Amino acid sequence: MPVPDVKPFTVVTGHYGVGKTNFCINLALDLAERYEAVIVVDLDIVNLYFRVSDYTDLLAEKGVRLIAPMFAGTTVDAPSLSAEIYSAFEAPGAVIFDVGGDDAGATALGRFQRDIGQIDHDMLYVVNRYRDLTATPTEAVRLLKEIEEASRLSATGIVNNSHLKQETTAETVLGSVGFACETARVLGLPLVCTTVPEGLRGVLPEGPVPVPFGSGPTAPASAQARYVQNAYHIKTYVRTQWEDPEWEGP
């Protein structure tokens, strides 16, 4: 799939480290090809690292507007929300909310529950089988329930963004599909897409083939999915300094 079939107003949430920010950046850049205007709202008000706000220039090159916490991009780590966020609810085009992956982030999202609830929207829950605290369907389901309770909003779909950063292989992705399908099944939500690193395009088998449930974290390789459904090819924009090939060290 060139880009997931999401509504123009989309909230993206999930646990820390699952790759929400990289997913949001890819989605925003792709939606910029579809809509005349795209806004990304950075609601990651606590985490100092891996914020969408760190990629303002990249987004601006494609005409994507960023609305960020007042202290984003500084060393001041205070949960201060800009009144400019409210302009996103009346903006034309597409809007993406990137929500922090803890209680503070979900609670901040809850401040806009009434405004979001009045809009036809999607709320995507990003999961990563290889991230602590979301490594099993049971853990992933429990975390989403906490997010939904704190935000007073309900998820509409699951995004499987299982990866091991630069060590991600075709087997890494295939080994996560059963986990994602089982998580979606338990929650009664659609699996919107499974992200696939751009470098695996043409390598990873894709197709509309049923995926066996039960191929979770402890399943043998023979129980893993043979194909990826609804593959969404993404680029890796979010890197630590030491993962950046241009970084020369301190």
Side-chain angles (χ1 to χ4, degrees):
M1 54 172 21
V3 61
D5 185 16
V6 298
K7 294 176 180 176
F9 196 103
T10 296
V11 176
V12 179
T13 188
H15 189 45
Y16 281 136
V18 297
K20 295 188 312 296
T21 294
N22 195 69
F23 174 77
C24 284
I25 292 173
N26 276 271
L27 186 61
L29 295 177
D30 285 338
L31 290 180
E33 302 293 332
R34 179 183 300 178
Y35 295 94
E36 291 188 7
V38 176
I39 294 175
V40 175
V41 178
D42 182 357
L43 265 190
D44 199 346
I45 62 174
V46 176
N47 186 24
L48 279 174
Y49 306 101
F50 308 125
R51 287 170 164 163
V52 174
S53 303
D54 296 330
Y55 302 89
T56 303
D57 293 342
L58 171 66
L59 295 170
E61 289 177 3
K62 295 292 185 179
V64 177
R65 174 186 167 201
L66 177 68
I67 298 177
M70 293 176 63
F71 299 112
T74 74
T75 57
V76 179
D77 196 26
S80 179
L81 302 180
S82 169
E84 186 183 10
I85 293 176
Y86 288 98
S87 67
F89 298 111
E90 299 179 354
V95 176
I96 301 171
F97 269 61
D98 180 18
V99 182
D102 67 351
D103 290 344
T107 300
L109 178 64
R111 292 173 59 174
F112 304 99
Q113 180 269 339
R114 180 173 299 179
D115 302 275
I116 295 174
Q118 295 176 347
I119 300 173
D120 186 22
H121 68 279
D122 274 322
M123 180 162 140
L124 303 182
Y125 178 47
V126 182
V127 297
N128 182 346
R129 174 191 164 183
Y130 306 105
R131 179 66 171 90
D132 291 342
L133 303 182
T134 62
T136 68
T138 299
E139 290 178 333
V141 168
R142 182 169 57 244
L143 179 63
L144 176 58
K145 296 304 181 183
E146 294 175 359
I147 292 173
E148 290 181 328
E149 182 177 357
S151 67
R152 293 170 290 135
L153 291 166
S154 298
T156 61
I158 306 297
V159 171
N160 178 21
N161 191 48
S162 297
H163 63 90
L164 292 170
K165 296 189 175 181
Q166 68 270 23
E167 297 181 7
T168 301
T169 64
E171 289 71 25
T172 303
V173 179
L174 288 172
S176 72
V177 175
F179 149 81
C181 285
E182 181 67 7
T183 300
R185 185 191 68 80
V186 173
L187 290 169
L189 296 173
L191 179 57
V192 175
C193 65
T194 289
T195 61
V196 176
E198 187 65 32
L200 295 179
R201 183 188 292 270
V203 175
L204 197 66
E206 303 168 13
V209 177
V211 175
F213 291 138
S215 52
T218 60
S222 59
Q224 293 182 355
R226 296 180 59 191
Y227 294 87
V228 173
Q229 296 173 285
N230 296 333
Y232 176 40
H233 300 101
I234 64 171
K235 296 181 179 179
T236 302
Y237 295 107
V238 179
R239 301 176 184 270
T240 58
Q241 283 185 322
W242 51 91
E243 292 173 326
D244 189 337
E246 297 183 359
W247 186 56
E248 298 180 353

